[in-house]
């Protein structure tokens, strides 16, 4: 039986050739054949050229993504190490502007962020998706077991960033007198504010005002006026009661306890805040912290500085200068506002309650001094009704959320008052309580 072989497809393995010289000749021939085939395919027009172009785009996007992951991971490890060393020594980092902060102001960070946004929207080959997402999870400590879908179904990095979680992964605190965290992240700052113009500490040695963060807010102005009136009325009541007690102290001593009280048992509403930082590996969706009505949205088209630990210590007015979306409204205890602050490579902030909103758009003006774009939600006075735990929006990476709200406060230790149940540096998840307030009447009934 005679076997016939094609000259273009040798039937034998090259290492079966008798000597090294023949092996080299075979490999030279094979390389020439490969080049000829490639040139022939490249000469074909239409779909072939487009497919090759798409392949190069996907390959370039993948390489750029992996490089970005490596840089971010190395930087995160360095920053975490420095912060941990300082905390072990009991030293709180202070505000110190450096050369890098000045250099960042000269960079086109908004344009860079738009390029990064384009790359994260490029579809990744199905076989490569698990490798990329697992590499990201290892670098930034993401829990892939919480993902609602298999990794192969997230077509791009953007889809992976804003992925939903499996049902039940983030149970919402059911306490009727609790305010829950709207995001997964790290507690940076929290506390009580004296008035609408009070200062929030960015870092030791530098602060920014609430009004500059949220913008011109009629609701905040009303709060400030009401607090001023309450303080003046309380002062007048105290002075009047003191004069009466001096003139007729025996009448006061024989009167009922209600008459002797100088401060009302009914608690007033204080202003509180909480700052939560989202790392790149955190869950990126924003949820509602309470049942409330969103009345207005403001979009500040600012800069896009990074918001990591180093940036907070070196850039003045970091949260005030950066692009941000502010939601403002009312809940059963009064004022409520959530500020979603963008950052480098995270200029895109999405609102599920307003899908048409677009952030990090090209601007005509070079200076970031444009007034905020404001929208009043309909119907007037009601707005968008949200329940505790409802999805509000999402970041296309990690960033920062600032929550400013009213809650019960009182000078009486036995009266209803809001209390935080967190500490600085704590890790917190969506649905976990930031703080609670108690009501004596309700507790007595129960």
């Amino acid at each position: 039986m005679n076997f016939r072989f094609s000259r273009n497809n040798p039937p034998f393995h090259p290492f079966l050739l008798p000597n090294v010289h023949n092996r080299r000749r075979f490999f030279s021939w094979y390389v020439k054949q490969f080049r000829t085939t490639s040139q022939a395919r490249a000469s074909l027009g239409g779909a072939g050229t487009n497919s090759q172009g798409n392949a190069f785009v996907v390959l370039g996007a993948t390489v750029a993504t992996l490089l970005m992951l490596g840089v971010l991971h190395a930087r995160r490890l360095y920053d975490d190490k420095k912060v941990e060393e300082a905390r072990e020594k009991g030293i709180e980092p202070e505000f110190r502007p450096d050369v890098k902060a000045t250099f960042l102001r000269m960079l086109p960070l908004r344009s860079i962020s738009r390029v990064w946004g384009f790359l994260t929207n490029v579809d990744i080959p199905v076989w490569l998706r698990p490798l990329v997402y697992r590499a990201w999870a290892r670098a930034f400590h993401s829990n892939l077991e919480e993902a609602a879908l298999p990794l192969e179904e997230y077509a791009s990095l953007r889809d992976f960033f804003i992925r939903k979680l499996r049902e039940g992964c983030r149970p919402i605190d059911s306490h009727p007198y609790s305010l829950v965290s709207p995001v997964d992240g790290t507690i940076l700052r929290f506390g009580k504010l004296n008035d609408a113009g009070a200062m929030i500490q960015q870092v030791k040695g530098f602060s920014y005002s609430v009004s500059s963060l949220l913008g011109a807010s009629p609701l905040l102005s009303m709060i400030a006026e009401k607090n001023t009136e309450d303080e003046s009325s309380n002062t007048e009541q105290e002075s009047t009661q003191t004069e009466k007690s001096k003139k007729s102290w025996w009448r006061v001593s024989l009167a009922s306890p209600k008459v002797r009280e100088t401060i009302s048992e009914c608690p007033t509403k204080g202003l509180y805040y909480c700052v939560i930082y989202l790392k790149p590996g955190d869950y990126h969706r924003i949820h509602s912290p309470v049942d409330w009505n969103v009345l207005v949205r403001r979009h500040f088209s600012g800069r896009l500085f990074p918001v990591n630990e180093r940036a907070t210590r070196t850039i003045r007015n970091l949260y005030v200068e950066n692009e941000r979306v502010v939601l403002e409204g009312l809940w059963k205890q009064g004022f409520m506002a959530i500020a979603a602050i963008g950052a480098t490579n995270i200029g895109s902030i999405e609102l599920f309650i307003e899908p048409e909103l677009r952030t990090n758009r090209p601007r005509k003006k070079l200076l970031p001094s444009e007034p905020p774009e404001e929208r009043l939600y309909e119907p007037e006075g009601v707005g968008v009704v949200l329940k505790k735990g409802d999805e509000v929006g999402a970041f296309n990476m990690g960033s920062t959320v600032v929550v400013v709200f009213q809650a019960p406060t009182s000078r009486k230790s036995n009266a209803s008052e809001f209390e935080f149940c967190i500490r600085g540096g704590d890790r917190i998840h969506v649905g976990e309580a930031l703080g609670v307030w108690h009501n004596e009447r309700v507790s007595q009934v129960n």
Side-chain angles (χ1 to χ4, degrees):
M1 182 180 293
N2 295 327
F3 294 94
R4 299 179 63 184
F5 301 102
S6 172
R7 295 180 180 179
N8 294 331
N9 298 299
F12 50 84
H13 196 278
F15 288 98
L16 297 179
L17 293 174
N19 53 53
V20 177
H21 179 69
N22 290 335
R23 293 178 188 175
R24 290 178 179 176
R25 291 182 60 187
F26 174 81
F27 280 115
S28 299
W29 170 86
Y30 193 82
V31 170
K32 290 180 180 179
Q33 293 292 326
F34 179 77
R35 288 179 178 177
T36 304
T37 304
S38 300
Q39 290 176 1
R41 290 179 179 178
S43 62
L44 297 176
T49 304
N50 292 334
S51 62
Q52 286 185 358
N54 293 334
F56 282 120
V57 170
V58 172
L59 180 62
T62 303
V63 172
T65 299
L66 294 177
L67 289 176
M68 180 64 72
L69 293 179
V71 172
L72 289 174
H73 182 52
R75 183 55 184 273
R76 185 187 65 83
L77 292 177
Y78 175 80
D79 290 342
D80 290 348
K81 182 179 179 181
K82 291 297 182 182
V83 172
E84 186 177 352
E85 291 176 354
R87 287 176 179 172
E88 289 178 355
K89 298 178 181 179
I91 302 174
E92 184 178 0
E94 297 184 1
F95 181 78
R96 290 183 180 179
D98 60 2
V99 178
K100 180 185 176 183
T102 305
F103 177 71
L104 286 175
R105 294 182 180 275
M106 298 184 294
L107 293 178
L109 296 179
R110 295 177 61 86
S111 300
I112 293 174
S113 298
R114 283 194 291 272
V115 172
W116 171 251
F118 169 78
L119 293 177
T120 57
N121 276 286
V122 174
D123 287 353
I124 301 175
V126 177
W127 63 270
L128 189 59
R129 293 171 188 174
L131 300 177
V132 174
Y133 301 150
R134 289 195 181 101
W136 176 274
R138 284 193 296 269
F140 298 104
H141 308 291
S142 297
N143 187 357
L144 297 181
E145 295 181 356
E146 295 180 339
L149 301 175
L151 297 182
E152 292 81 3
E153 297 192 27
Y154 297 107
S156 63
L157 277 172
R158 175 196 168 277
D159 295 338
F160 177 72
F161 290 156
I162 63 172
R163 66 190 180 277
K164 283 189 173 184
L165 301 183
R166 289 188 294 104
E167 189 72 24
C169 286
R170 294 294 183 271
I172 307 300
D173 188 274
S174 59
H175 195 288
Y177 301 102
S178 68
L179 182 143
V180 302
S181 174
V183 292
D184 284 11
T186 304
I187 303 296
L188 296 185
R189 302 282 174 181
F190 65 93
K192 184 178 179 180
L193 301 167
N194 296 327
D195 52 49
M199 306 296 286
I200 299 177
Q201 191 178 55
Q202 176 177 310
V203 72
K204 185 178 179 180
F206 189 83
S207 303
Y208 57 94
S209 67
V210 180
S211 56
S212 62
L213 175 70
L214 303 181
S217 171
L219 294 178
L220 270 181
S221 301
M222 292 171 61
I223 293 171
E225 292 176 0
K226 186 178 184 302
N227 290 342
T228 303
E229 292 176 359
D230 292 341
E231 291 178 0
S232 61
S233 62
N234 288 336
T235 304
E236 291 176 0
Q237 290 177 5
E238 291 177 2
S239 61
T240 304
Q241 189 66 30
T242 303
E243 291 296 329
K244 289 182 179 180
S245 63
K246 288 181 180 179
K247 295 179 180 179
S248 55
W249 59 270
W250 57 274
R251 292 182 181 177
V252 176
S253 62
L254 296 176
S256 62
K258 292 182 180 180
V259 177
R260 293 199 300 266
E261 289 293 341
T262 59
I263 302 176
S264 174
E265 287 290 343
C266 181
T268 58
K269 297 299 189 336
L271 200 61
Y272 299 83
Y273 76 95
C274 183
V275 184
I276 308 174
Y277 169 64
L278 290 76
K279 294 182 178 179
D282 286 330
Y283 171 60
H284 304 302
R285 297 201 173 207
I286 307 171
H287 293 249
S288 175
V290 292
D291 298 344
W292 64 307
N293 296 66
V294 184
L295 302 178
V296 62
R297 182 267 301 159
R298 296 188 190 90
H299 172 215
F300 295 80
S301 180
R303 300 180 185 273
L304 284 176
F305 293 124
V307 293
N308 53 29
E309 179 74 20
R310 181 183 178 87
T312 57
R313 292 184 282 107
T314 57
I315 302 176
R316 296 181 183 275
N317 294 314
L318 177 61
Y319 301 144
V320 175
E321 287 201 34
N322 267 21
E323 181 163 10
R324 61 197 182 278
V325 174
V326 175
L327 296 178
E328 188 177 282
L330 295 172
W331 68 308
K332 62 182 179 180
Q333 298 298 336
F335 178 80
M336 169 66 66
I338 298 178
I341 302 169
T344 308
N345 299 330
I346 322 151
S348 178
I349 303 171
E350 300 182 21
L351 286 183
F352 300 144
I353 61 176
E354 188 183 345
E356 61 272 18
L357 176 66
R358 294 292 179 268
T359 59
N360 192 18
R361 295 171 298 183
R363 296 180 308 189
K364 297 180 180 180
K365 297 181 180 179
L366 296 178
L367 297 177
S369 58
E370 301 177 4
E373 177 190 352
E374 186 172 293
R375 174 180 175 180
L376 298 176
Y377 289 125
E378 298 292 340
E380 185 177 356
V382 177
V384 180
V385 180
L386 294 175
K387 298 296 183 181
K388 183 192 291 187
D390 286 351
E391 291 185 351
V392 180
F395 292 109
N396 280 340
M397 212 172 170
S399 192
T400 301
V401 166
V402 182
V403 185
V404 181
F405 58 95
Q406 270 188 296
T409 184
S410 176
R411 298 178 185 177
K412 291 292 183 178
S413 59
N414 61 348
S416 176
E417 184 170 9
F418 179 84
E419 295 180 356
F420 284 101
C421 51
I422 52 176
R423 295 180 299 176
D426 283 353
R427 290 282 303 157
I428 197 166
H429 297 92
V430 169
E432 296 179 351
L434 291 176
V436 297
W437 70 98
H438 58 275
N439 189 302
E440 286 187 339
R441 294 180 181 178
V442 174
S443 62
Q444 289 176 0
V445 172
N446 295 336

